[in-house]
Amino acid sequence: MPAVARYAKMSAKPGQGAALAQKMLEVAAALRGVAGCQLYVINRASDDPDTIWVTEQWSSQEQLDEALQSEGACAQISEVMGLVQEGSFERVDLEPLGGVGYPAGERGFEIVNLDEVEDMAAKMGFGDMGEARFARGELGALGTGISLQRVKPGVRQAFGHSHHLDEEIYVVLSGSGKVAVDDEVRDVRTRDAIRVAPASVRAFEAGPDGLELLAMGAHHPGDPVMAPGWWPGQP
């Protein structure tokens, strides 16, 4: 089944621009995890705050149709159209061909042992902290990042970081310690999974038995934002 994409444009009724933007963001949030929804991005015209653009991509027309026919979707469509100026709705149907972040029709696999991936912590002068082995390149992954990170007993990572776009999930493979996310610090232990939203700053500190982590998430070049020496409460 071929993927499908669409652009939609709509203008809000007078005074309803902010309400329309908020409602469309709620629609997008409700589509998280819906089968077949690969992309659903809400944009606002830079020169007209009452004009909203939607960029969407679905795995198939069948899955798109099924999502639109659900009871929740029907209710949301009614609410959206109640905010839209009559006659302003436009839609363009598209056939995705490929490009950055869209590996159309790709097949195959790769196996890499994470302990054999180069330790970037040692290479960058952070060997006293632990290890950081990033395997995306060796795996040939296009849109997924994965790394094995080890923090030595009693040591805190030398920097925090956040992202513009990439959501990450960390799994504690062994050991224990603390994770700091924005202004909160929580204890973590073996088999804990920690999901961190893109814009939240995060860092880890190992307990007396060290901390071994598997980090996974989407990958966009140039997306990380580094925060050297960051920890809640630190100047």
Side-chain angles (χ1 to χ4, degrees):
M1 293 183 291
V4 295
R6 309 195 305 188
Y7 292 139
K9 177 186 177 184
M10 62 197 83
S11 296
K13 293 178 179 178
Q16 296 297 317
L20 178 60
Q22 181 59 40
K23 174 52 64 176
M24 291 308 301
L25 288 171
E26 292 174 7
V27 170
L31 288 171
R32 294 184 187 275
V34 170
C37 187
Q38 299 176 330
L39 180 71
Y40 199 93
V41 177
I42 310 304
N43 306 278
R44 180 161 52 199
S46 59
D47 60 349
D48 181 2
D50 287 338
T51 298
I52 298 297
W53 288 82
V54 181
T55 305
E56 55 184 303
Q57 181 169 306
W58 295 78
S59 298
S60 68
Q61 185 66 50
E62 290 78 7
Q63 288 172 310
L64 169 57
D65 292 341
E66 183 177 349
L68 289 177
Q69 290 166 7
S70 70
E71 183 177 342
C74 290
Q76 287 185 318
I77 291 172
S78 177
E79 293 177 16
V80 167
M81 297 312 295
L83 298 169
V84 172
Q85 186 174 327
E86 186 175 354
S88 72
F89 185 85
E90 303 175 34
R91 193 184 82 199
V92 178
D93 295 322
L94 304 165
E95 176 188 355
L97 299 179
V100 176
Y102 183 60
E106 184 182 11
R107 295 172 65 90
F109 71 97
E110 188 63 64
I111 297 175
V112 171
N113 187 287
L114 295 179
D115 281 323
E116 296 175 0
V117 174
E118 183 177 14
D119 178 11
M120 296 304 295
K123 183 175 182 178
M124 302 302 293
F126 296 106
D128 291 344
M129 179 198 72
E131 303 174 20
R133 303 178 185 273
F134 298 91
R136 184 188 64 82
E138 284 81 352
L139 287 166
L142 299 178
T144 304
I146 184 169
S147 67
L148 176 65
Q149 302 181 24
R150 294 186 175 109
V151 187
K152 293 184 176 181
V155 174
R156 179 181 297 167
Q157 288 181 323
F159 48 83
H161 79 281
S162 60
H163 291 270
H164 296 292
L165 299 171
D166 297 343
E167 175 185 67
E168 287 188 314
I169 293 177
Y170 301 85
V171 178
V172 180
L173 300 178
S174 64
S176 62
K178 297 181 183 297
V179 60
V181 181
D182 295 331
D183 59 355
E184 187 171 354
V185 179
R186 299 280 294 273
D187 292 330
V188 293
R189 57 190 175 92
T190 301
R191 304 294 183 269
D192 279 352
I194 306 105
R195 177 258 179 188
V196 184
S200 288
V201 187
R202 80 296 306 262
F204 288 88
E205 179 181 274
D209 47 356
L211 190 60
E212 184 179 47
L213 303 161
L214 190 66
M216 300 163 286
H219 171 79
H220 295 87
D223 189 66
V225 180
M226 310 312 292
W230 177 85
W231 193 263
Q234 296 291 329

